[in-house]
Amino acid sequence: MNLNFSTDDIAFRDEIRAFLKDNLTPELAAAGRKATSVFIEPEYTLAWQAKLNERGWVAPHWPKEYGGPGFTETQKAIFAAEFAAAGAPSLSPMGLSMVGPCIIGYGTPEQKAYYLPRLLNGEDYWCQGYSEPGSGSDLASLQLKAERDGDDYVLNGTKIWTTHAHHANKMFCLVRTRTEGKPQTGITFLLLDMKTPGIKVDPIRTMTGEHEFNQVFFDDVRVPVSGRLGEENDGWTVAKYLLEFERGGGTSAGVKAALDRLRRYRIMKGIDDPILAKKLEQVSIKVEALLMTEHRIVASLSAGASPGPAASILKAQRTELMQEVDEIGIEMAGIFAGVYEPESWLPTPNITPVGPDELAVAMPRYLNDRAASIYGGSNEVQRNIVAKAVLRL
């Protein structure tokens, strides 16, 4: 691979840096650096999304004909690296990175015309209705029932671990429309409005005190058939397509940026710990190797294409590296890692930081990211997918 930037690439990088300097306010940058997961409160992400949408950069991986900026693969990598290094807050992935590509791939012309502009401008904020109390990694066993009644489906059941459902006005949801045959062949993919009568959202607090998750209950909720994405009973096909974007979407640039800040902090503070230094450099080598893998995979895709089974490779490696960085952050914070107040780091922390923002939230980030190698399909599941679809075992 030729990793040298062209003159045009350098000019593009400088353009991004100028944009970040002019638009990334200290409050938005703090929200990005102090995030404990990829989900940041909408008051920050939607404000940042509005700035990006105005510039035409809100969906860097979307095809140009649907509102993407038409970046080259190198430009996408530069874009991700510069935004991560600056600490820009990540936008909610549910809409732009997950259901958006699904609507592009499976939506009717009417669905594309309605939903895609609203995704870009932040008018719709999405949550994901996949997991249920008895259906997590075994997602095909889901039981949320949807019975056809004229031009509507009537939904009864529940979804759990529904991230930011308390903020969302839209949900993409998997429902059971047929019980006979293979479980996968009776699932339908629906787009629905969270203000529909019969929907109830109950909070689930994490052990760090954050309100990120919810349980959502459906009691005779009527969803128009026009909200179906793909064919009835073929929602599993759409769901798998979306999961490729959930697992393979994004980049490891954020992991690298967090690691680089820890490395700089160690040098700045003169922390003379050879074991810690070795850990930092070992993880750094792994991150660089993963970034090269990402570049190769992304370069092989056409614009808007799904990453396929390569998504499982990226998901497994990226989440495990992220956890390694978290562990180093805990080690560097030492006894101060446990000194935090739930939800105190945003918008204005009530604690005295022990170094960079990463260390101020080292413990809640560590605890939150323990789930990263489980959600979206556990890493054991990802390795099975690689064995079957890539290695043909």
Side-chain angles (χ1 to χ4, degrees):
M1 296 176 66
N2 181 6
L3 299 179
N4 294 322
F5 288 155
S6 68
T7 302
D8 289 343
D9 291 334
I10 293 173
F12 176 70
R13 181 196 64 191
D14 293 342
E15 181 184 0
I16 290 177
R17 290 180 177 177
F19 173 84
L20 290 167
K21 181 179 179 181
D22 293 340
N23 292 276
L24 185 61
T25 65
E27 184 181 38
L28 289 173
R33 290 193 306 270
K34 297 173 184 175
T36 58
S37 78
V38 296
F39 292 94
I40 301 172
E41 291 300 293
E43 65 181 287
Y44 301 99
T45 59
L46 291 179
W48 185 230
Q49 181 169 337
K51 293 175 182 283
L52 292 173
N53 189 45
E54 184 178 355
R55 184 64 180 79
W57 287 351
V58 75
H61 292 279
W62 282 22
K64 193 168 185 179
E65 62 265 34
Y66 294 112
F71 288 166
T72 66
E73 301 308 330
T74 301
Q75 286 175 328
K76 291 175 187 176
I78 294 171
F79 182 89
E82 293 297 326
F83 272 58
S90 57
L91 304 183
S92 175
M94 295 295 190
L96 293 166
S97 300
M98 293 166 62
V99 79
C102 249
I103 293 172
I104 291 172
Y106 285 90
T108 64
E110 293 77 15
Q111 288 171 330
K112 293 176 184 178
Y114 178 75
Y115 287 113
L116 297 181
R118 295 165 64 93
L119 273 164
L120 293 172
N121 64 28
E123 189 173 353
D124 285 341
Y125 191 89
W126 290 80
C127 63
Q128 179 185 37
Y130 271 29
S131 294
E132 298 180 6
S135 303
S137 295
D138 181 21
L139 186 59
S141 67
L142 66 91
Q143 295 298 314
L144 174 60
K145 184 182 294 186
E147 295 181 317
R148 184 74 176 263
D149 182 20
D151 292 332
D152 293 335
Y153 291 105
V154 181
L155 277 57
N156 283 282
T158 184
K159 294 291 181 180
I160 202 167
W161 311 124
T162 317
T163 306
H164 277 199
H166 56 303
H167 294 307
N169 68 320
K170 301 289 183 184
M171 173 190 280
F172 55 93
C173 187
L174 294 180
V175 298
R176 173 71 54 196
T177 45
R178 186 171 65 193
T179 56
E180 61 272 12
K182 288 182 61 178
Q184 291 88 341
T185 61
I187 293 172
T188 298
F189 193 110
L190 296 181
L191 310 175
L192 59 89
D193 194 315
M194 289 293 287
K195 294 181 181 178
T196 306
I199 294 179
K200 180 173 178 278
V201 179
D202 281 353
I204 298 175
R205 292 271 176 177
T206 68
M207 66 192 304
T208 64
E210 294 175 277
H211 178 194
E212 183 174 302
F213 303 123
N214 304 272
Q215 184 167 5
V216 183
F217 298 90
F218 298 82
D219 184 10
D220 288 335
V221 175
R222 302 187 75 90
V223 178
V225 173
S226 60
R228 187 182 69 216
L229 197 62
E231 298 299 320
E232 185 171 294
N233 297 317
D234 193 35
W236 190 250
T237 300
V238 184
K240 289 193 298 181
Y241 184 78
L242 184 143
L243 283 170
E244 291 175 11
F245 288 96
E246 179 179 358
R247 294 163 178 169
T251 172
S252 298
V255 182
K256 183 179 188 303
L259 178 64
D260 286 345
R261 281 191 279 269
L262 293 179
R263 294 169 73 190
R264 289 195 296 269
Y265 178 71
R266 185 189 74 83
I267 294 172
M268 178 184 69
K269 291 296 185 179
I271 300 175
D272 186 18
D273 184 338
I275 296 177
L276 177 62
K278 182 179 180 180
K279 288 182 180 179
L280 286 165
E281 296 314 310
Q282 285 176 330
V283 175
S284 177
I285 291 169
K286 294 179 185 178
V287 171
E288 291 295 336
L290 179 56
L291 284 168
M292 294 304 103
T293 301
E294 287 181 358
H295 294 334
R296 286 194 295 270
I297 291 172
V298 170
S300 68
L301 300 175
S302 59
S306 68
S312 295
I313 299 173
L314 298 179
K315 197 270 184 184
Q317 292 187 326
R318 185 185 296 151
T319 53
E320 289 170 4
L321 279 177
M322 183 166 59
Q323 290 169 348
E324 286 192 53
V325 173
D326 290 339
E327 290 173 3
I328 293 174
I330 289 289
E331 185 175 346
M332 291 182 71
I335 61 172
F336 296 101
V339 183
Y340 70 92
E341 299 174 19
E343 295 191 333
S344 64
W345 45 88
L346 288 177
T348 303
N350 300 320
I351 55 178
T352 301
V354 286
D357 292 333
E358 276 80 11
L359 297 190
V361 295
M363 183 59 75
R365 179 176 290 168
Y366 167 84
L367 294 173
N368 193 306
D369 283 345
R370 298 313 300 166
S373 51
I374 299 174
Y375 62 60
S378 71
N379 282 11
E380 290 80 5
V381 169
Q382 306 315 312
R383 289 184 168 88
N384 284 342
I385 292 172
V386 172
K388 292 178 182 178
V390 180
L391 303 177
R392 307 297 179 187
L393 299 177

